[in-house]
Amino acid sequence: MSVEAPAVRTVLAEDGVLLREGLAGLLERFGFEVVAAVGDAGALAAAVAEHRPRLVVTDIRMPPGFTDEGLRAAVALRREHPGLAVVALSQYVEQSYATDLLDSEGGRGVGYLLKERVADVQEFVGQLRRVLDGGTVVDPEVVRQLLRRNRDPLSRLSEREREVLGEIAEGHSNAAIAGRLHVSEAAVGKHIGNILAKLDLPPSDDVNRRVMAVLAYLRSGADRR
Amino acid sequence: MEEHGVGAAVRTAPGTARRTGRSAAEGSGRARPDTVLQALGTRRFLISAWPWRALLHAATTPLSALFFGVPLLVLTLPLYLPAFLVAEARDGLAAAPSAGTVPALLASGAVLMAVFGPLLALPAGRLERFRLRLVDGRDPGTGHRPPAEPGLWAWLRRRYTEAATWAELGLLVLTTALFAPLSLGLAMLGVVAAIMLSAPLLASEQVPLTIGPVQSETAAEAVPMMPVGVLMLVAVVYAAGGLAGAHGALARALLRDRGTAELRAELTEVTRSRARLVDAFESERRRIERDLHDGAQQRLVALSMQLGLARLDLPADSPAAQSVAEAQEQAKRAIAELRELIRGIHPQVLTDRGLAAALPELADRSPVPVEVAAVPDERFPDHIEGTAYFVVSEALANVAKHSGATRAEVAARREGGALVVDVTDDGRGGADPADGTGLTGLADRVAVMDGRMLLSSPPGGPTVLRVELPCQ
């Protein structure tokens, strides 16, 4: 089906056997090469060291402690292996988890998704690809929670701008956002310009301002603790 | 901040009340004595109100004895009658009592005392408690416990079986037999002192004033008696202080909540067993949460993923694809519902990262904007974190439902050996635990952890709910 070559070397970490096998099958089918599928954080680190994958898809809660092992492993792996794309799958909408991960290495090439997003197979694969391309993908549920909050710098944005920012956080391109919101691509561009201006993100070559905008939101929540 | 304890505070009051009571006494103990006995040691005793209080106490002692003690003495006559009988027989005034008489008299006296004593002791005890306030500023408590169930029978059973009643009876006997006579003697000394003080006015040739060996026939002769009278009066006042003080100390020892020790032991046991229950409940919740999370939820996710894959293989507009899409939709909804359910059972983030992470997430879900001011990063014991989370969750729910507030604030800090959590809102205030707005449930939950809940909610707001949870 997919013609792009070579296949993306991927390490999968998930302690539920059923889901792990299912995910592996899904990934293989869409042109990812699952070089290792493991069940805990220790094995994940070992597999990454051994196989040097481009992408890690990991569960957050794993043995032995069943807390946030996967997440901590992911953050550590991103520090050790610059450029490693990581998508964390969570059972929960916990913004603190998302913030941790997105804060790592400038938030490029990371994703934080609810597990159930894998059900929309093509959407999920699309999100993986966006992460591989250096994008930031945040689960719509987390974004919704952040957007619901009536705080600065959020309050400066209009309803439409928040919507657009939500779409950006999900990793969509301008064209995709235009399609999803049923507006012209030019309108999307204008909205994004307004958002960046309101968030004090001047044009610059070395940072992805879209990612920065998403991070600004997440941090506005993170600042509170 | 004007705070009044509710629920938990009341229930755990023994500890706190004693603590604050002691610190108050320590803080100002020198300046303001609590009892006559303490006051006796101070230099300002004579010019304070204490002598008057002591005198009033000593003066009312015979009245109390007359009212309750004399009937008791009459009632228990058979108890000391044998002594008279034996004495009279020894003096040859009467025949020796027959062999069975003395035991029979003693037995009937004891029975009369046991049956009617409490009926006199209870009102006498009430009076003594009231009089105790004259010489002792500390509250002795009621000493009595409420009957287990309504009705005269339950009341009688409680009163006849508790130590407080019999302590009151003992005090009544001592008051009547010891303190009343001593008070009367003191009163007589007082009269003598008064006479000596006014001797120059009383003495005349017609009526010579004789006190002991001294006889005065003129006012001038009587003048030297005055300083003696003054000294005597001072002595009487001090003696009254001593007597009332001793009486008060004894009364306090007898009347103070006697059952308290056992009651406290009982309460501790109850609290402990409740704490065990809550702990068991808490770990059961965690187990259920884990089971759902690792079992049902995983399966549903896998299922909906399989359905998603199946959809890829079906022509998009076929009826089969439609069915699969619907099935997938159902599975997704089930997952979402399950996720909310699991969160309700036990928030994972609390287990993973503690209050510092969990409280802001909780604040985010509140319909009323909530500022989380400060939460310590340190981890507290599971049950403390669980309770604190529960309290904030309930408090925010209350704020949203009842307060009319536009904003709220959550703050937590460690204060010595306790975690203190404040939830403040700018609502209309007037929150009252009696209204059953979930506050009593909160207080209960806090009480189980041996904590305190304080509420300040004046009409017009703001409302501050404070919870203190002891943790080592």
mmCIF file of all heavy atoms in Angstrom, chain A residues 19 22 29-30 61 67-68 71 91-92 94-97 100 115-116 119-120 149 224-225, chain B residues 289 293 297-298 304-305 308 312-313 328 332 335 339 343 348 352-353 360-361 364 370:
data_model
loop_
_atom_site.group_PDB
_atom_site.id
_atom_site.type_symbol
_atom_site.label_atom_id
_atom_site.label_comp_id
_atom_site.label_asym_id
_atom_site.label_seq_id
_atom_site.Cartn_x
_atom_site.Cartn_y
_atom_site.Cartn_z
ATOM 1 N N LEU A 19 -2.936 -5.772 22.756
ATOM 2 C CA LEU A 19 -2.779 -4.485 22.101
ATOM 3 C C LEU A 19 -1.427 -4.402 21.390
ATOM 4 O O LEU A 19 -1.304 -3.806 20.316
ATOM 5 C CB LEU A 19 -2.902 -3.374 23.150
ATOM 6 C CG LEU A 19 -3.193 -1.982 22.615
ATOM 7 C CD1 LEU A 19 -4.418 -1.985 21.710
ATOM 8 C CD2 LEU A 19 -3.395 -1.007 23.748
ATOM 9 N N GLY A 22 -1.649 -6.278 18.205
ATOM 10 C CA GLY A 22 -2.521 -5.536 17.293
ATOM 11 C C GLY A 22 -1.794 -4.338 16.696
ATOM 12 O O GLY A 22 -1.828 -4.084 15.493
ATOM 13 N N ARG A 29 1.527 -3.019 8.640
ATOM 14 C CA ARG A 29 0.660 -2.867 7.480
ATOM 15 C C ARG A 29 0.842 -1.510 6.820
ATOM 16 O O ARG A 29 0.654 -1.352 5.620
ATOM 17 C CB ARG A 29 -0.784 -3.045 7.938
ATOM 18 C CG ARG A 29 -1.772 -2.901 6.825
ATOM 19 C CD ARG A 29 -3.108 -3.424 7.256
ATOM 20 N NE ARG A 29 -4.091 -3.073 6.252
ATOM 21 C CZ ARG A 29 -5.333 -3.477 6.303
ATOM 22 N NH1 ARG A 29 -5.727 -4.263 7.289
ATOM 23 N NH2 ARG A 29 -6.179 -3.137 5.368
ATOM 24 N N PHE A 30 1.198 -0.497 7.620
ATOM 25 C CA PHE A 30 1.329 0.843 7.054
ATOM 26 C C PHE A 30 2.779 1.248 6.831
ATOM 27 O O PHE A 30 3.113 2.428 6.842
ATOM 28 C CB PHE A 30 0.625 1.856 7.950
ATOM 29 C CG PHE A 30 -0.855 1.813 7.768
ATOM 30 C CD1 PHE A 30 -1.632 0.986 8.552
ATOM 31 C CD2 PHE A 30 -1.474 2.583 6.777
ATOM 32 C CE1 PHE A 30 -3.003 0.936 8.369
ATOM 33 C CE2 PHE A 30 -2.838 2.531 6.592
ATOM 34 C CZ PHE A 30 -3.622 1.699 7.387
ATOM 35 N N ARG A 61 1.905 3.697 31.122
ATOM 36 C CA ARG A 61 1.901 2.894 32.344
ATOM 37 C C ARG A 61 2.360 1.475 32.020
ATOM 38 O O ARG A 61 1.710 0.759 31.280
ATOM 39 C CB ARG A 61 0.488 2.864 32.915
ATOM 40 C CG ARG A 61 0.384 2.066 34.168
ATOM 41 C CD ARG A 61 -0.722 2.590 35.011
ATOM 42 N NE ARG A 61 -1.817 1.633 35.100
ATOM 43 C CZ ARG A 61 -2.768 1.714 36.019
ATOM 44 N NH1 ARG A 61 -2.773 2.682 36.884
ATOM 45 N NH2 ARG A 61 -3.718 0.828 36.039
ATOM 46 N N THR A 67 3.179 2.975 36.875
ATOM 47 C CA THR A 67 2.835 4.399 36.999
ATOM 48 C C THR A 67 3.138 5.081 35.675
ATOM 49 O O THR A 67 2.386 4.906 34.728
ATOM 50 C CB THR A 67 3.571 5.069 38.177
ATOM 51 O OG1 THR A 67 4.970 4.960 37.971
ATOM 52 C CG2 THR A 67 3.198 4.424 39.487
ATOM 53 N N ASP A 68 4.245 5.831 35.592
ATOM 54 C CA ASP A 68 4.517 6.526 34.339
ATOM 55 C C ASP A 68 5.888 6.129 33.782
ATOM 56 O O ASP A 68 6.597 6.938 33.182
ATOM 57 C CB ASP A 68 4.429 8.047 34.529
ATOM 58 C CG ASP A 68 5.352 8.521 35.636
ATOM 59 O OD1 ASP A 68 5.955 7.665 36.315
ATOM 60 O OD2 ASP A 68 5.469 9.739 35.825
ATOM 61 N N LEU A 71 6.620 6.882 30.104
ATOM 62 C CA LEU A 71 6.822 8.299 29.839
ATOM 63 C C LEU A 71 8.224 8.734 30.224
ATOM 64 O O LEU A 71 8.917 9.424 29.477
ATOM 65 C CB LEU A 71 5.798 9.101 30.628
ATOM 66 C CG LEU A 71 5.812 10.593 30.344
ATOM 67 C CD1 LEU A 71 5.051 10.873 29.072
ATOM 68 C CD2 LEU A 71 5.212 11.345 31.495
ATOM 69 N N GLN A 91 -3.727 6.202 28.746
ATOM 70 C CA GLN A 91 -5.109 5.863 29.005
ATOM 71 C C GLN A 91 -5.858 7.080 29.544
ATOM 72 O O GLN A 91 -7.043 7.056 29.699
ATOM 73 C CB GLN A 91 -5.129 4.768 30.080
ATOM 74 C CG GLN A 91 -6.150 3.712 29.847
ATOM 75 C CD GLN A 91 -5.474 2.472 29.311
ATOM 76 O OE1 GLN A 91 -4.604 2.547 28.461
ATOM 77 N NE2 GLN A 91 -5.866 1.327 29.803
ATOM 78 N N TYR A 92 -5.097 8.114 29.890
ATOM 79 C CA TYR A 92 -5.689 9.242 30.597
ATOM 80 C C TYR A 92 -5.418 10.537 29.869
ATOM 81 O O TYR A 92 -4.472 10.659 29.127
ATOM 82 C CB TYR A 92 -5.090 9.394 31.998
ATOM 83 C CG TYR A 92 -4.967 8.113 32.707
ATOM 84 C CD1 TYR A 92 -3.791 7.394 32.675
ATOM 85 C CD2 TYR A 92 -6.058 7.608 33.400
ATOM 86 C CE1 TYR A 92 -3.692 6.190 33.324
ATOM 87 C CE2 TYR A 92 -5.963 6.413 34.048
ATOM 88 C CZ TYR A 92 -4.786 5.697 34.006
ATOM 89 O OH TYR A 92 -4.697 4.517 34.642
ATOM 90 N N GLU A 94 -4.022 13.371 30.975
ATOM 91 C CA GLU A 94 -3.319 14.069 32.039
ATOM 92 C C GLU A 94 -2.329 15.029 31.427
ATOM 93 O O GLU A 94 -1.371 14.636 30.771
ATOM 94 C CB GLU A 94 -2.574 13.082 32.961
ATOM 95 C CG GLU A 94 -3.465 12.051 33.619
ATOM 96 C CD GLU A 94 -4.502 12.637 34.557
ATOM 97 O OE1 GLU A 94 -4.684 13.870 34.603
ATOM 98 O OE2 GLU A 94 -5.150 11.850 35.264
ATOM 99 N N GLN A 95 -2.613 16.284 31.690
ATOM 100 C CA GLN A 95 -1.841 17.318 31.038
ATOM 101 C C GLN A 95 -0.394 17.316 31.527
ATOM 102 O O GLN A 95 0.516 17.660 30.784
ATOM 103 C CB GLN A 95 -2.530 18.640 31.315
ATOM 104 C CG GLN A 95 -1.851 19.820 30.752
ATOM 105 C CD GLN A 95 -1.927 20.917 31.754
ATOM 106 O OE1 GLN A 95 -2.937 21.059 32.433
ATOM 107 N NE2 GLN A 95 -0.864 21.676 31.868
ATOM 108 N N SER A 96 -0.198 16.907 32.792
ATOM 109 C CA SER A 96 1.172 16.953 33.314
ATOM 110 C C SER A 96 2.069 15.978 32.556
ATOM 111 O O SER A 96 3.240 16.256 32.318
ATOM 112 C CB SER A 96 1.180 16.631 34.799
ATOM 113 O OG SER A 96 0.495 15.434 35.058
ATOM 114 N N TYR A 97 1.500 14.828 32.157
ATOM 115 C CA TYR A 97 2.281 13.885 31.359
ATOM 116 C C TYR A 97 2.657 14.506 30.030
ATOM 117 O O TYR A 97 3.795 14.449 29.578
ATOM 118 C CB TYR A 97 1.483 12.606 31.098
ATOM 119 C CG TYR A 97 1.148 11.820 32.321
ATOM 120 C CD1 TYR A 97 -0.092 11.228 32.469
ATOM 121 C CD2 TYR A 97 2.088 11.655 33.328
ATOM 122 C CE1 TYR A 97 -0.401 10.495 33.588
ATOM 123 C CE2 TYR A 97 1.785 10.931 34.452
ATOM 124 C CZ TYR A 97 0.535 10.340 34.582
ATOM 125 O OH TYR A 97 0.236 9.626 35.691
ATOM 126 N N ASP A 100 5.434 17.115 30.259
ATOM 127 C CA ASP A 100 6.763 16.516 30.424
ATOM 128 C C ASP A 100 7.368 16.132 29.092
ATOM 129 O O ASP A 100 8.507 16.454 28.776
ATOM 130 C CB ASP A 100 6.653 15.225 31.251
ATOM 131 C CG ASP A 100 6.779 15.512 32.723
ATOM 132 O OD1 ASP A 100 6.734 16.706 33.075
ATOM 133 O OD2 ASP A 100 6.916 14.551 33.500
ATOM 134 N N LYS A 115 -4.891 6.296 24.097
ATOM 135 C CA LYS A 115 -4.769 4.991 23.458
ATOM 136 C C LYS A 115 -5.849 4.724 22.414
ATOM 137 O O LYS A 115 -5.610 4.141 21.369
ATOM 138 C CB LYS A 115 -4.842 3.894 24.524
ATOM 139 C CG LYS A 115 -3.472 3.356 24.868
ATOM 140 C CD LYS A 115 -3.577 2.191 25.793
ATOM 141 C CE LYS A 115 -2.199 1.917 26.373
ATOM 142 N NZ LYS A 115 -2.237 0.876 27.386
ATOM 143 N N GLU A 116 -7.041 5.182 22.754
ATOM 144 C CA GLU A 116 -8.151 4.842 21.872
ATOM 145 C C GLU A 116 -8.035 5.479 20.490
ATOM 146 O O GLU A 116 -8.766 5.117 19.582
ATOM 147 C CB GLU A 116 -9.462 5.243 22.546
ATOM 148 C CG GLU A 116 -9.569 6.739 22.778
ATOM 149 C CD GLU A 116 -10.394 7.066 24.007
ATOM 150 O OE1 GLU A 116 -10.014 6.579 25.091
ATOM 151 O OE2 GLU A 116 -11.398 7.773 23.884
ATOM 152 N N ALA A 119 -7.792 3.506 17.196
ATOM 153 C CA ALA A 119 -8.948 2.931 16.514
ATOM 154 C C ALA A 119 -9.165 3.578 15.149
ATOM 155 O O ALA A 119 -9.531 2.917 14.182
ATOM 156 C CB ALA A 119 -10.199 3.085 17.378
ATOM 157 N N ASP A 120 -8.942 4.889 15.089
ATOM 158 C CA ASP A 120 -9.043 5.552 13.790
ATOM 159 C C ASP A 120 -7.713 5.343 13.083
ATOM 160 O O ASP A 120 -6.835 6.210 13.089
ATOM 161 C CB ASP A 120 -9.326 7.042 13.975
ATOM 162 C CG ASP A 120 -10.682 7.249 14.596
ATOM 163 O OD1 ASP A 120 -11.636 6.563 14.174
ATOM 164 O OD2 ASP A 120 -10.791 8.071 15.529
ATOM 165 N N ARG A 149 -9.879 26.117 29.566
ATOM 166 C CA ARG A 149 -9.425 26.974 30.654
ATOM 167 C C ARG A 149 -9.435 28.429 30.211
ATOM 168 O O ARG A 149 -8.980 28.768 29.141
ATOM 169 C CB ARG A 149 -8.022 26.549 31.057
ATOM 170 C CG ARG A 149 -7.627 27.111 32.370
ATOM 171 C CD ARG A 149 -6.212 26.764 32.668
ATOM 172 N NE ARG A 149 -6.012 25.329 32.726
ATOM 173 C CZ ARG A 149 -4.863 24.764 32.382
ATOM 174 N NH1 ARG A 149 -3.887 25.505 31.911
ATOM 175 N NH2 ARG A 149 -4.709 23.485 32.492
ATOM 176 N N ARG A 224 1.514 26.716 36.663
ATOM 177 C CA ARG A 224 0.677 26.868 37.847
ATOM 178 C C ARG A 224 1.100 25.972 38.988
ATOM 179 O O ARG A 224 0.565 26.036 40.074
ATOM 180 C CB ARG A 224 -0.773 26.598 37.485
ATOM 181 C CG ARG A 224 -1.215 27.456 36.355
ATOM 182 C CD ARG A 224 -2.456 26.900 35.721
ATOM 183 N NE ARG A 224 -3.556 26.983 36.657
ATOM 184 C CZ ARG A 224 -4.554 26.140 36.611
ATOM 185 N NH1 ARG A 224 -4.564 25.177 35.757
ATOM 186 N NH2 ARG A 224 -5.533 26.257 37.463
ATOM 187 N N ARG A 225 2.005 25.088 38.732
ATOM 188 C CA ARG A 225 2.374 24.255 39.882
ATOM 189 C C ARG A 225 3.761 24.577 40.370
ATOM 190 O O ARG A 225 4.397 25.465 39.891
ATOM 191 C CB ARG A 225 2.262 22.789 39.554
ATOM 192 C CG ARG A 225 3.117 22.302 38.441
ATOM 193 C CD ARG A 225 2.587 20.953 38.028
ATOM 194 N NE ARG A 225 1.193 21.105 37.646
ATOM 195 C CZ ARG A 225 0.710 20.560 36.533
ATOM 196 N NH1 ARG A 225 1.468 19.862 35.750
ATOM 197 N NH2 ARG A 225 -0.538 20.727 36.205
ATOM 198 N N GLU B 289 -9.587 -0.236 39.884
ATOM 199 C CA GLU B 289 -9.093 0.667 38.845
ATOM 200 C C GLU B 289 -8.067 -0.044 37.969
ATOM 201 O O GLU B 289 -8.111 0.032 36.738
ATOM 202 C CB GLU B 289 -8.476 1.900 39.514
ATOM 203 C CG GLU B 289 -8.012 2.971 38.563
ATOM 204 C CD GLU B 289 -6.537 2.894 38.299
ATOM 205 O OE1 GLU B 289 -5.823 2.239 39.082
ATOM 206 O OE2 GLU B 289 -6.095 3.458 37.311
ATOM 207 N N HIS B 293 -8.409 -1.003 34.091
ATOM 208 C CA HIS B 293 -7.415 -0.389 33.224
ATOM 209 C C HIS B 293 -6.660 -1.446 32.415
ATOM 210 O O HIS B 293 -6.519 -1.338 31.207
ATOM 211 C CB HIS B 293 -6.452 0.419 34.097
ATOM 212 C CG HIS B 293 -5.301 0.992 33.352
ATOM 213 N ND1 HIS B 293 -5.240 2.322 33.036
ATOM 214 C CD2 HIS B 293 -4.182 0.435 32.875
ATOM 215 C CE1 HIS B 293 -4.125 2.549 32.377
ATOM 216 N NE2 HIS B 293 -3.458 1.432 32.270
ATOM 217 N N GLN B 297 -10.387 -2.153 29.662
ATOM 218 C CA GLN B 297 -10.070 -1.029 28.799
ATOM 219 C C GLN B 297 -9.127 -1.443 27.660
ATOM 220 O O GLN B 297 -9.333 -1.071 26.509
ATOM 221 C CB GLN B 297 -9.441 0.089 29.634
ATOM 222 C CG GLN B 297 -9.612 1.451 28.987
ATOM 223 C CD GLN B 297 -8.990 2.543 29.824
ATOM 224 O OE1 GLN B 297 -8.217 2.272 30.734
ATOM 225 N NE2 GLN B 297 -9.326 3.780 29.514
ATOM 226 N N GLN B 298 -8.119 -2.253 28.024
ATOM 227 C CA GLN B 298 -7.178 -2.716 26.998
ATOM 228 C C GLN B 298 -7.890 -3.513 25.912
ATOM 229 O O GLN B 298 -7.624 -3.368 24.723
ATOM 230 C CB GLN B 298 -6.088 -3.586 27.635
ATOM 231 C CG GLN B 298 -5.274 -2.885 28.692
ATOM 232 C CD GLN B 298 -4.145 -2.065 28.092
ATOM 233 O OE1 GLN B 298 -4.085 -1.882 26.884
ATOM 234 N NE2 GLN B 298 -3.269 -1.558 28.932
ATOM 235 N N SER B 304 -11.481 -2.035 19.289
ATOM 236 C CA SER B 304 -11.817 -0.951 18.376
ATOM 237 C C SER B 304 -10.719 -0.775 17.330
ATOM 238 O O SER B 304 -10.989 -0.341 16.206
ATOM 239 C CB SER B 304 -12.082 0.346 19.142
ATOM 240 O OG SER B 304 -10.899 0.913 19.576
ATOM 241 N N MET B 305 -9.498 -1.165 17.696
ATOM 242 C CA MET B 305 -8.428 -1.111 16.693
ATOM 243 C C MET B 305 -8.668 -2.170 15.611
ATOM 244 O O MET B 305 -8.500 -1.897 14.424
ATOM 245 C CB MET B 305 -7.076 -1.320 17.359
ATOM 246 C CG MET B 305 -5.907 -1.156 16.410
ATOM 247 S SD MET B 305 -4.348 -1.383 17.257
ATOM 248 C CE MET B 305 -4.481 -3.082 17.716
ATOM 249 N N GLY B 308 -11.213 -0.978 13.414
ATOM 250 C CA GLY B 308 -10.651 0.047 12.541
ATOM 251 C C GLY B 308 -9.923 -0.580 11.367
ATOM 252 O O GLY B 308 -10.044 -0.116 10.223
ATOM 253 N N LEU B 312 -10.798 -0.851 6.996
ATOM 254 C CA LEU B 312 -9.899 -0.561 5.872
ATOM 255 C C LEU B 312 -10.094 -1.565 4.739
ATOM 256 O O LEU B 312 -9.880 -1.253 3.576
ATOM 257 C CB LEU B 312 -8.445 -0.591 6.330
ATOM 258 C CG LEU B 312 -8.034 0.463 7.351
ATOM 259 C CD1 LEU B 312 -6.587 0.272 7.753
ATOM 260 C CD2 LEU B 312 -8.265 1.866 6.795
ATOM 261 N N ASP B 313 -10.475 -2.785 5.134
ATOM 262 C CA ASP B 313 -10.586 -3.846 4.131
ATOM 263 C C ASP B 313 -11.951 -3.890 3.479
ATOM 264 O O ASP B 313 -12.178 -4.678 2.572
ATOM 265 C CB ASP B 313 -10.286 -5.199 4.775
ATOM 266 C CG ASP B 313 -8.864 -5.247 5.299
ATOM 267 O OD1 ASP B 313 -8.020 -4.516 4.742
ATOM 268 O OD2 ASP B 313 -8.603 -5.961 6.285
ATOM 269 N N GLN B 328 -17.601 0.273 15.866
ATOM 270 C CA GLN B 328 -16.415 0.969 16.345
ATOM 271 C C GLN B 328 -16.802 2.202 17.166
ATOM 272 O O GLN B 328 -16.190 2.500 18.189
ATOM 273 C CB GLN B 328 -15.558 1.386 15.145
ATOM 274 C CG GLN B 328 -14.157 1.731 15.544
ATOM 275 C CD GLN B 328 -13.332 2.249 14.379
ATOM 276 O OE1 GLN B 328 -13.883 2.642 13.350
ATOM 277 N NE2 GLN B 328 -12.037 2.246 14.555
ATOM 278 N N LYS B 332 -15.794 2.958 20.986
ATOM 279 C CA LYS B 332 -15.142 4.202 21.402
ATOM 280 C C LYS B 332 -15.895 4.844 22.557
ATOM 281 O O LYS B 332 -15.300 5.336 23.508
ATOM 282 C CB LYS B 332 -15.120 5.182 20.213
ATOM 283 C CG LYS B 332 -13.909 5.031 19.331
ATOM 284 C CD LYS B 332 -13.783 6.287 18.499
ATOM 285 C CE LYS B 332 -13.407 5.954 17.068
ATOM 286 N NZ LYS B 332 -13.652 7.073 16.167
ATOM 287 N N ILE B 335 -15.173 3.045 25.645
ATOM 288 C CA ILE B 335 -13.840 3.380 26.176
ATOM 289 C C ILE B 335 -13.871 4.714 26.915
ATOM 290 O O ILE B 335 -13.335 4.846 28.017
ATOM 291 C CB ILE B 335 -12.807 3.447 25.032
ATOM 292 C CG1 ILE B 335 -12.604 2.042 24.442
ATOM 293 C CG2 ILE B 335 -11.480 3.997 25.532
ATOM 294 C CD1 ILE B 335 -11.827 2.047 23.150
ATOM 295 N N ARG B 339 -13.173 5.311 30.758
ATOM 296 C CA ARG B 339 -12.095 6.212 31.189
ATOM 297 C C ARG B 339 -12.596 7.145 32.293
ATOM 298 O O ARG B 339 -11.940 7.327 33.314
ATOM 299 C CB ARG B 339 -11.600 7.019 29.979
ATOM 300 C CG ARG B 339 -10.616 8.098 30.343
ATOM 301 C CD ARG B 339 -9.659 8.445 29.202
ATOM 302 N NE ARG B 339 -10.214 8.380 27.852
ATOM 303 C CZ ARG B 339 -10.911 9.351 27.287
ATOM 304 N NH1 ARG B 339 -11.166 10.456 27.959
ATOM 305 N NH2 ARG B 339 -11.359 9.220 26.057
ATOM 306 N N ARG B 343 -11.446 7.186 36.241
ATOM 307 C CA ARG B 343 -10.988 8.401 36.883
ATOM 308 C C ARG B 343 -11.753 8.648 38.180
ATOM 309 O O ARG B 343 -11.195 9.042 39.196
ATOM 310 C CB ARG B 343 -11.152 9.595 35.970
ATOM 311 C CG ARG B 343 -10.694 10.889 36.626
ATOM 312 C CD ARG B 343 -11.129 12.087 35.821
ATOM 313 N NE ARG B 343 -10.489 12.130 34.524
ATOM 314 C CZ ARG B 343 -9.205 12.357 34.340
ATOM 315 N NH1 ARG B 343 -8.449 12.566 35.379
ATOM 316 N NH2 ARG B 343 -8.694 12.377 33.144
ATOM 317 N N GLN B 348 -5.445 8.302 38.468
ATOM 318 C CA GLN B 348 -4.114 7.717 38.283
ATOM 319 C C GLN B 348 -3.007 8.716 38.574
ATOM 320 O O GLN B 348 -1.988 8.387 39.176
ATOM 321 C CB GLN B 348 -4.000 7.200 36.845
ATOM 322 C CG GLN B 348 -2.671 6.537 36.532
ATOM 323 C CD GLN B 348 -2.425 5.328 37.413
ATOM 324 O OE1 GLN B 348 -3.362 4.723 37.911
ATOM 325 N NE2 GLN B 348 -1.159 5.011 37.624
ATOM 326 N N ASP B 352 0.496 8.401 40.671
ATOM 327 C CA ASP B 352 1.779 8.562 39.994
ATOM 328 C C ASP B 352 2.576 9.744 40.515
ATOM 329 O O ASP B 352 3.769 9.659 40.734
ATOM 330 C CB ASP B 352 1.563 8.772 38.492
ATOM 331 C CG ASP B 352 1.036 7.524 37.825
ATOM 332 O OD1 ASP B 352 0.921 6.508 38.517
ATOM 333 O OD2 ASP B 352 0.737 7.579 36.627
ATOM 334 N N ARG B 353 1.898 10.882 40.660
ATOM 335 C CA ARG B 353 2.652 12.117 40.860
ATOM 336 C C ARG B 353 2.227 12.922 42.066
ATOM 337 O O ARG B 353 2.747 14.016 42.283
ATOM 338 C CB ARG B 353 2.512 12.989 39.616
ATOM 339 C CG ARG B 353 2.843 12.228 38.367
ATOM 340 C CD ARG B 353 3.041 13.136 37.222
ATOM 341 N NE ARG B 353 4.017 12.553 36.325
ATOM 342 C CZ ARG B 353 4.536 13.196 35.306
ATOM 343 N NH1 ARG B 353 4.185 14.422 35.059
ATOM 344 N NH2 ARG B 353 5.417 12.599 34.543
ATOM 345 N N PRO B 360 -3.970 20.436 40.324
ATOM 346 C CA PRO B 360 -4.216 21.282 39.151
ATOM 347 C C PRO B 360 -5.112 20.608 38.107
ATOM 348 O O PRO B 360 -5.957 21.256 37.495
ATOM 349 C CB PRO B 360 -2.809 21.524 38.589
ATOM 350 C CG PRO B 360 -1.923 21.402 39.770
ATOM 351 C CD PRO B 360 -2.539 20.327 40.616
ATOM 352 N N GLU B 361 -4.931 19.302 37.917
ATOM 353 C CA GLU B 361 -5.788 18.599 36.943
ATOM 354 C C GLU B 361 -7.245 18.648 37.403
ATOM 355 O O GLU B 361 -8.160 18.804 36.614
ATOM 356 C CB GLU B 361 -5.359 17.132 36.807
ATOM 357 C CG GLU B 361 -3.903 16.956 36.461
ATOM 358 C CD GLU B 361 -3.672 16.792 34.955
ATOM 359 O OE1 GLU B 361 -4.663 16.700 34.215
ATOM 360 O OE2 GLU B 361 -2.491 16.757 34.554
ATOM 361 N N ASP B 364 -8.648 22.003 36.767
ATOM 362 C CA ASP B 364 -8.977 22.194 35.363
ATOM 363 C C ASP B 364 -10.383 21.721 35.026
ATOM 364 O O ASP B 364 -11.003 22.229 34.111
ATOM 365 C CB ASP B 364 -7.991 21.421 34.479
ATOM 366 C CG ASP B 364 -6.695 22.192 34.315
ATOM 367 O OD1 ASP B 364 -6.674 23.366 34.721
ATOM 368 O OD2 ASP B 364 -5.740 21.618 33.788
ATOM 369 N N VAL B 370 -10.544 27.898 38.810
ATOM 370 C CA VAL B 370 -9.863 27.614 40.068
ATOM 371 C C VAL B 370 -8.374 27.900 39.926
ATOM 372 O O VAL B 370 -7.736 27.468 38.978
ATOM 373 C CB VAL B 370 -10.042 26.135 40.481
ATOM 374 C CG1 VAL B 370 -9.285 25.863 41.777
ATOM 375 C CG2 VAL B 370 -11.503 25.807 40.648
#
